[in-house]
Amino acid sequence: MNRAAPLLLAVLLCSCQDREARAENARLQARVARLEAQVEALRREGRAQDPARAGEVVLRAAAQNCAQDLARFLETTRQGGGAYPPARLVTLPDSCLDLRVNWRQLGADAYAFDVADPGGRTLATGRSP
């Protein structure tokens, strides 16, 4: 009976990880669907006809993606350690490449930041719940 307990525990842990992975995939698919719907709505409105406007839409979507990825990293770190990480331990996600993250606040219990283009124009924001 004692030999079966570790096997049962391993099966239960794997099933929990599978559920978490499926839930994360579902959240990501929903986010992609929302972004695709936004782009399609802009196309229907005719605002994306101008290539400069299309570039703006892509840049804003990239900034929003960066903000969401960074917030996910911060929340995951807080859940694991009980506090948000200090600035020296924050690794910006790859989605933030070519964007600037300006911290308005980063402490053990709260954070707030802006995501800006290389020129400094704020495109997205994030803050602790």
Side-chain angles (χ1 to χ4, degrees):
M1 186 70 168
N2 287 341
R3 291 182 182 170
L7 181 60
L8 180 61
L9 182 60
V11 169
L12 290 174
L13 287 174
C14 287
S15 68
C16 289
Q17 290 174 345
D18 287 345
R19 270 183 279 163
E20 290 173 9
R22 284 192 301 270
E24 181 65 19
N25 283 341
R27 282 191 294 273
L28 290 173
Q29 287 174 340
R31 188 170 86 189
V32 167
R34 282 193 307 273
L35 289 172
E36 288 174 343
Q38 288 174 347
V39 169
E40 185 57 35
L42 289 172
R43 283 191 181 131
R44 280 194 310 267
E45 292 174 15
R47 289 194 280 176
Q49 297 298 327
D50 178 11
R53 288 292 266 173
E56 178 68 21
V57 169
V58 169
L59 189 58
R60 286 192 180 278
Q64 187 63 39
N65 192 38
C66 167
Q68 290 173 345
D69 288 347
L70 182 54
R72 184 179 303 114
F73 167 76
L74 293 168
E75 290 301 326
T76 301
T77 303
R78 182 191 59 79
Q79 288 173 359
Y84 296 113
R88 63 183 168 73
L89 295 180
V90 173
T91 303
L92 293 179
D94 290 342
S95 59
C96 295
L97 187 67
D98 297 329
L99 296 167
R100 291 179 17 191
V101 175
N102 303 312
W103 294 101
R104 288 185 278 134
Q105 177 184 7
L106 180 57
D109 59 347
Y111 67 86
F113 61 85
D114 297 320
V115 178
D117 64 11
R121 183 174 48 128
T122 298
L123 302 172
T125 61
R127 76 163 84 168
S128 52

